[in-house]
Amino acid sequence: MTLLPTIGLETHVQLNTRSKIWCGCAVETAANPNTHVCPVCMGYPGALPVLNKEAVKKTVQTGLMLGCTIALKSKHDRKSYFYPDMPKNYQITQYDQPLCLGGSLEIEVSGRQKTVHINRIHLEEDVGKSTHLRGASGIDYNRAGTPLMEIVTEPDLHSEEEAFAYLTALKRILEYGNVSHCNLEEGNIRCDVNVSVAEADSHMLGVKAEIKNMNTFRGVHRALVYEIKRQTRAVETGIPLVQETRRWDDDQGMTSSMRTKEDAHDYRYFPDPDLAEIALSAEQVEVWGAELPELPERRRQRFIRDLELPDYDAAVLVADLHVANYFEQVVAAAAGSAKASSNWVMTEVMRELSESGGSPADLKVTPKALGTLILLVEKKVLNHAKAKEVFSLLVKSGGDPEQIVKNEGWAQVSDSSAIEGFVKSVIDENPSVVEDYRNGKHAALQFLMGQVMRVSKGKANPKIVLELLKEMLA
Ligand code: ZN
Ligand code: MN
């Protein structure tokens, strides 16, 4: 019996609008509790919601990025929700007429491409945040009424790796489109997971569990590993599974039952009478689409086509929006030397970023400085080893590479007569090594080469050194 897990994801993404979805309160979730609230987001009787157009725009833009069909007519519905973190006792969401339908996202798992189909994206409101203290609970309504979009996939995923790859690719798209801050620590992206296990060749899905309470992609991955194992064991040993909602406990690393279908909530959806239908024109959708930047896949193809980068480089560079932007600025400053720029960004710059954990904007090496450095190497003013030293100085304190080279006296010596002098002295000082070389020992040449570089304080043009060494030893 080969068992195959089937997974669908419902991802809640907090949109980065300035104000909340139904009122003018600022989205400031980090502020002191209950300082950004008003009668509307506190659900006072008689207070009327007004839809934030920016939230519609960002949801539509997300739909466009994912290739969804944008519904020109959609509406909002009330969903019964009896928890204290929602002051109205219902959540305004979209039930049968969401803003975006269909669409897909390409993911790559261990070198294999795969299409994950999107079922829908709808726009709804977030609830407040409960804090449970000893003997009491507090609720902060700053977050209540923050616009959320819920992105629902088809059950196209079949492993925890695929789910992780989907979330990573989704986050990249959301960052490119600037629709969310995508700050995972602050819960900007939260995931519910539907998972079941069935025989691989079966046309029927197994009994599914919905897992809630995952705030990190790592958490989704771990919860899926646990849950797939639990369900597989049950199916293999013939223990019947029940359709249920389970809670992921990140500290204990396990899921536990929250509620079964018997006490599932009756949501009693109905159209919100306080809100008008959302009517968009095709022109409006087109205008919003035109505001979107180039997406990662397009950009990757352009890097390969126009900048003639290898596939690998292009994929690594576009993986992070900020790295890709930094790289393009370096290329511009390096007069179009794309491959040299890519080499520097993929090695020195990305190493620096992974060590500091920062973003390219925090680097003291500006794209302009790195571009200038690359040009100095290309113009043979600097050899590569010295260029790396300049880079280290730039990392520490920024500045202008040309000035650094001047101050340190690192300009490469390409003048043959000067280098000839270095070579001659090294040959004179190392008669036995010269003898070895003449007897066919090739490593001897490397040693002599190193000596010349040392005598020149690393400034000699290595290519000329090698030529002259061979010439004078012949
Ligand atoms: Zn408000
Ligand atoms: Mn939802």
Side-chain angles (χ1 to χ4, degrees), residues 423-424 427 433-440 442 445 448 465-474:
V423 172
K424 201 168 173 318
I427 289 178
V433 184
V434 170
E435 194 59 33
D436 286 349
Y437 174 75
R438 291 193 169 129
N439 289 331
H442 272 276
L445 187 64
L448 294 170
V465 172
L466 192 64
E467 276 166 20
L468 283 177
L469 254 177
K470 282 183 173 168
E471 207 179 292
M472 293 170 74
L473 286 169

Side-chain angles (χ1 to χ4, degrees), residues 20 22-26 36-42 144:
K20 294 186 181 180
W22 315 121
C23 60
C25 290
H36 292 279
V37 292
C38 74
V40 174
C41 55
M42 290 301 288

Side-chain angles (χ1 to χ4, degrees), residues 250-380:
D250 205 68
D251 295 330
Q252 295 208 50
M254 60 185 291
T255 65
S256 56
S257 186
M258 268 171 83
R259 52 178 185 259
T260 55
K261 204 161 172 35
E262 286 80 59
D263 52 25
H265 287 200
D266 176 4
Y267 292 128
R268 290 184 292 157
Y269 286 102
F270 67 94
D272 193 305
D274 289 341
L275 286 159
E277 181 186 69
I278 305 170
L280 298 171
S281 67
E283 293 73 37
Q284 177 66 85
V285 172
E286 201 173 307
V287 168
W288 286 343
E291 284 177 24
L292 284 169
E294 182 185 37
L295 296 182
E297 183 53 25
R298 268 269 179 78
R299 196 172 206 183
R300 192 182 70 84
Q301 287 166 8
R302 178 168 60 81
F303 282 4
I304 294 168
R305 188 187 60 233
D306 296 353
L307 301 181
E308 295 174 357
L309 286 186
D311 292 12
Y312 176 77
D313 293 36
V316 170
L317 292 168
V318 303
D320 182 304
L321 169 67
H322 307 291
V323 170
N325 289 345
Y326 182 92
F327 162 73
E328 290 218 58
Q329 289 166 24
V330 174
V331 176
S337 288
K339 182 56 185 148
S341 301
S342 160
N343 290 346
W344 277 93
V345 172
M346 292 206 316
T347 54
E348 308 302 322
V349 173
M350 287 179 77
R351 179 180 316 128
E352 206 45 55
L353 291 177
S354 79
E355 277 169 14
S356 67
S359 124
D362 309 325
L363 283 180
K364 287 190 176 143
V365 192
T366 63
K368 172 99 179 45
L370 181 51
T372 306
L373 183 60
I374 290 167
L375 283 179
L376 289 176
V377 175
E378 293 201 341
K379 288 183 194 145
K380 308 209 187 312

